[in-house]
Amino acid sequence: MEYPIGIQDFEKLRKGNYVYVDKTDLIYKMVKEGSYYFLSRPRRFGKSLLISTLEVYFRGRKEFFEGLRIMELETEWAEYPVLHLDLNTKKYENKSSLEAILNMHLEIWEAEYGDEKKDRSSEERFMYVIRNAFEKTGKQVVILVDEYDKPLLQAIGNEALQDDYRNTLKAFYGALKSMDRYIKFALLTGVTKFGKVSVFSDLNNLRDISMLKAYESICGITEEELHSVFEEDIRALGKANNMTEEETKAELKEKYDGYHFNEECVDIYNPFSILNTFANRKFDRYWFATGTPTFLVELMKSCKYDLKKLTNEYASVDSLSGLETIKKDPVSILYQSGYLTIKGYDREFGIYSLGFPNKEVEEGFVESLLPNYTGMNNSESKFEIMNFVREIRTGDTDAFMKRLQSFFADTPYELVRDLELHYQNVMFILFKLLGFYTQAEYHTSEGRIDMVVKTHDYIYVMEFKLDGTAEEAMQQIESKDYPLPFECDGRKLVKLGVNFSNEKRNVERWVVKF
């Protein structure tokens, strides 16, 4: 079997010798239980393939479903007119960009169903096409919208342009409600959900299945599917990397599993990373490499976001399903775009706890933070982290601290609005990155940062002060017996007291004791 990397067309996938994880029983369930749906999932999670599969199904192309679960369920295989709107293929730079893509699809549909209204607004033309398709075929119409929110996401940061896109799409999608009697089925997919007060205010009959238990695995790969469909691939991957089958499964789980789309969701694996890993016989950050979270990082900085919350964030269900508060709190977009996922749920208060889904996302995201908070470029930051790790492993504390000074010296401080938070955020990034190569533990409170770093030969107990003294930091380490839990460990114990100075905007002094 071949791996359908980048293939989003169901017919092409089924015609070729490509592996397919069967989701057709869920598709049948969706079609039979309702008419109007919305589904949010991160990028590269299979939304386009789902749309394509539904298109082939509603066109009655039974031959492409041979051997799949839906063959045991469907008996009619009726053909319906399908209007497929794909907004994923264009870069939206101005108001005319959206108008052009809508016009392109409308012209295709009008060529088949009539263009008497071609000089009217896009929403009027859309309504006319829907009615004419029904009257011409005698069958209700199926409407499939892929990445409905692409223009809105690309315009975040440009309020005027986003308002233009929102008003255009609100009217366009509103045609679905006006033409209800002519519509058999509709599905809109995207990464985010712009709430009811904006795009969907005229389309309140959509059923949002993004966080429903019944449809949690309609996109992505469950552990059961991974172990059954890719059994031979797992063995081949393990053999290529000198790993046992169990070691290979554990590595796949650590790197690519862990997505949860409701409080009781089974673990969902990232399909893009899984397919690339099997195709290349190599573990790597495939999903993360397809898009850098530059906008998210800038958003977190503008919101004065405390980065330590990334490992233990909280959110209500309303905040997870909309983007209305994005300028004040980046949590909703972090969740919807796949950088954070659900880790737990407090039923009494209706609050979700969030964290990184897996190692691929955690490492990639934290690494992407470093250049944005220190002024380094990507290659420089990776080189610096390598040196940090080497210095901490060899016990070269002075070299480590001098390198830390350079981190803060290179920071464009005119862009730093809160020095204390900036110190904490940079230290969080640094020790999170060190933690990928060592054992690093940390906690922060009231401008104070305590760190413990363990390597093969050393244990470092560190205390950081802001506008105090390095001696005070050392005294706190000793008076509060911070090293006590490690005295019988056998590794060399290093105590490090550090003082940050607001005046100098850097590390002012450090004291080391063994």
Side-chain angles (χ1 to χ4, degrees):
M1 297 288 283
E2 300 293 329
Y3 303 102
I5 298 170
I7 296 177
Q8 301 171 345
D9 183 277
F10 183 70
E11 284 192 23
K12 181 178 180 180
L13 186 150
R14 295 294 284 170
K15 285 178 181 177
N17 188 37
Y18 294 105
V19 63
Y20 176 66
V21 179
D22 192 353
K23 306 288 185 178
T24 56
D25 54 335
L26 292 176
I27 289 174
Y28 179 83
K29 175 182 174 67
M30 186 192 305
V31 170
K32 298 304 178 183
E33 289 188 352
S35 298
Y36 295 89
Y37 292 95
F38 170 75
L39 175 67
S40 167
R41 284 293 183 269
R43 58 184 169 82
R44 303 281 185 168
F45 247 78
K47 299 187 298 296
S48 297
L49 179 59
L50 173 62
I51 289 283
S52 176
T53 307
L54 280 162
E55 180 172 6
V56 176
Y57 167 78
F58 277 114
R59 292 194 185 281
R61 305 296 300 275
K62 178 180 178 179
E63 66 272 19
F64 289 102
F65 294 88
E66 291 294 338
L68 301 181
R69 296 187 191 117
I70 200 170
M71 292 297 290
E72 301 174 6
L73 302 169
E74 183 60 81
T75 57
E76 296 180 6
W77 294 102
E79 182 179 358
Y80 297 88
V82 178
L83 304 180
H84 180 179
L85 174 63
D86 184 0
L87 297 182
N88 195 39
T89 56
K90 190 173 182 66
K91 187 172 182 180
Y92 299 92
E93 298 176 313
N94 49 51
K95 187 176 181 179
S96 62
S97 302
L98 177 56
E99 292 172 348
I101 196 75
L102 292 178
N103 188 60
M104 181 190 78
H105 283 87
L106 286 164
E107 286 179 350
I108 293 171
W109 300 334
E110 288 168 341
E112 186 170 1
Y113 299 116
D115 65 355
E116 288 85 346
K117 306 290 185 181
K118 64 182 179 180
D119 296 325
R120 302 286 186 90
S121 66
S122 59
E123 63 268 20
E124 288 181 280
R125 293 167 66 190
F126 190 30
M127 292 167 67
Y128 179 77
V129 165
I130 293 171
R131 186 176 69 247
N132 269 21
F134 170 78
E135 293 176 349
K136 185 174 181 178
T137 64
K139 294 285 183 67
Q140 288 180 304
V141 180
V142 172
I143 297 169
L144 305 172
V145 182
D146 194 8
E147 304 290 2
Y148 91 96
D149 55 350
K150 188 71 174 287
L152 296 165
L153 288 174
Q154 290 192 358
I156 286 180
N158 185 338
E159 289 189 31
L161 183 58
Q162 193 174 71
D163 283 342
D164 283 337
Y165 288 161
R166 182 183 288 107
N167 292 333
T168 299
L169 293 175
K170 178 181 175 181
F172 192 83
Y173 296 139
L176 273 66
K177 188 173 183 180
S178 302
M179 295 288 104
D180 178 52
R181 62 176 292 198
Y182 304 112
I183 296 174
K184 166 72 175 176
F185 180 90
L187 172 64
L188 282 72
T189 71
V191 171
T192 63
K193 184 175 181 181
F194 286 81
K196 294 180 180 179
V197 298
S198 54
V199 176
F200 293 126
S201 58
D202 289 339
L203 191 57
N204 54 15
N205 55 340
L206 280 178
R207 184 187 182 196
D208 186 353
I209 61 173
S210 306
M211 298 181 72
L212 293 186
K213 178 71 176 174
Y215 296 101
E216 63 190 12
S217 62
I218 197 164
C219 291
I221 298 172
T222 67
E223 189 161 278
E224 181 182 355
E225 290 168 339
L226 178 71
H227 293 172
S228 59
V229 176
F230 298 97
E231 183 178 9
E232 293 301 319
D233 305 274
I234 291 172
R235 293 196 186 102
L237 175 64
K239 185 177 180 181
N241 290 274
N242 297 314
M243 300 166 71
T244 67
E245 185 174 340
E246 290 307 310
E247 288 172 340
T248 307
K249 289 179 178 178
E251 186 76 1
L252 287 168
K253 188 175 186 65
E254 182 182 30
K255 284 189 177 294
Y256 309 124
D257 193 17
Y259 290 91
H260 304 119
F261 302 112
N262 59 69
E263 61 270 24
E264 298 176 348
C265 184
V266 297
D267 287 351
I268 304 292
Y269 286 75
N270 186 316
F272 185 79
S273 291
I274 287 293
L275 292 175
N276 275 278
T277 300
F278 287 142
N280 297 334
R281 299 288 188 261
K282 179 184 177 182
F283 296 97
D284 210 338
R285 298 177 195 163
Y286 297 105
W287 178 81
F288 198 89
T290 63
T292 55
T294 304
F295 162 73
L296 284 174
V297 176
E298 290 303 317
L299 179 64
M300 288 191 293
K301 289 170 70 176
S302 68
C303 294
K304 296 185 178 181
Y305 186 76
D306 188 345
L307 294 179
K308 72 175 185 293
K309 292 167 64 179
L310 288 170
T311 60
N312 193 24
E313 182 58 273
Y314 294 92
S316 67
V317 64
D318 290 338
S319 66
L320 290 186
S321 61
L323 291 183
E324 279 63 44
T325 61
I326 188 172
K327 291 181 180 179
K328 297 179 181 179
D329 189 353
V331 174
S332 59
I333 189 69
L334 284 166
Y335 166 74
Q336 293 179 16
S337 54
Y339 295 104
L340 295 180
T341 196
I342 294 171
K343 294 292 187 178
Y345 182 64
D346 187 318
R347 291 188 179 278
E348 181 179 5
F349 298 102
I351 298 295
Y352 292 96
S353 58
L354 309 175
F356 293 113
N358 51 49
K359 192 173 181 179
E360 176 190 18
V361 175
E362 182 176 24
E363 289 188 352
F365 194 80
V366 175
E367 278 191 10
S368 73
L369 293 174
L370 191 56
N372 288 277
Y373 280 82
T374 62
M376 297 181 178
N377 61 41
N378 285 320
S379 58
E380 286 176 331
S381 63
K382 290 180 180 179
F383 180 75
E384 288 296 296
I385 287 299
M386 178 184 71
N387 285 326
F388 267 125
V389 172
R390 287 177 175 173
E391 289 158 1
I392 211 85
R393 282 176 177 170
T394 58
D396 195 345
T397 311
D398 284 340
F400 174 86
M401 289 306 303
K402 288 175 181 176
R403 195 172 301 280
L404 181 60
Q405 279 184 316
S406 72
F407 261 45
F408 290 102
D410 292 338
T411 302
Y413 281 105
E414 66 276 7
L415 302 179
V416 178
R417 301 179 184 180
D418 185 330
L419 276 174
E420 183 174 318
L421 179 62
H422 180 70
Y423 294 146
Q424 292 191 21
N425 281 341
V426 172
M427 294 305 292
F428 168 85
I429 296 168
L430 172 60
F431 279 85
K432 200 80 174 108
L433 290 170
L434 286 177
F436 299 143
Y437 306 96
T438 65
Q439 289 179 276
E441 305 164 4
Y442 52 86
H443 68 268
T444 64
S445 62
E446 305 299 330
R448 178 172 56 83
I449 310 171
D450 300 325
M451 303 283 181
V452 176
V453 180
K454 302 175 185 178
T455 70
H456 183 269
D457 299 309
Y458 295 90
I459 295 179
Y460 297 84
V461 178
M462 308 182 188
E463 174 70 19
F464 292 80
K465 291 291 185 182
L466 177 61
D467 285 335
T469 67
E471 287 76 12
E472 288 173 350
M474 180 60 70
Q475 183 181 7
Q476 184 167 326
I477 291 174
E478 295 178 334
S479 65
K480 292 194 175 183
D481 291 328
Y482 288 166
L484 189 61
F486 314 111
E487 287 183 348
C488 297
D489 185 278
R491 285 174 279 189
K492 189 169 184 178
L493 187 62
V494 181
K495 293 176 286 186
L496 179 60
V498 182
N499 183 57
F500 284 104
S501 167
N502 263 327
E503 183 181 355
K504 292 186 176 181
R505 295 173 174 256
N506 210 317
V507 175
E508 177 260 339
R509 176 173 157 75
W510 64 89
V511 176
V512 182
K513 288 187 180 181
F514 298 95

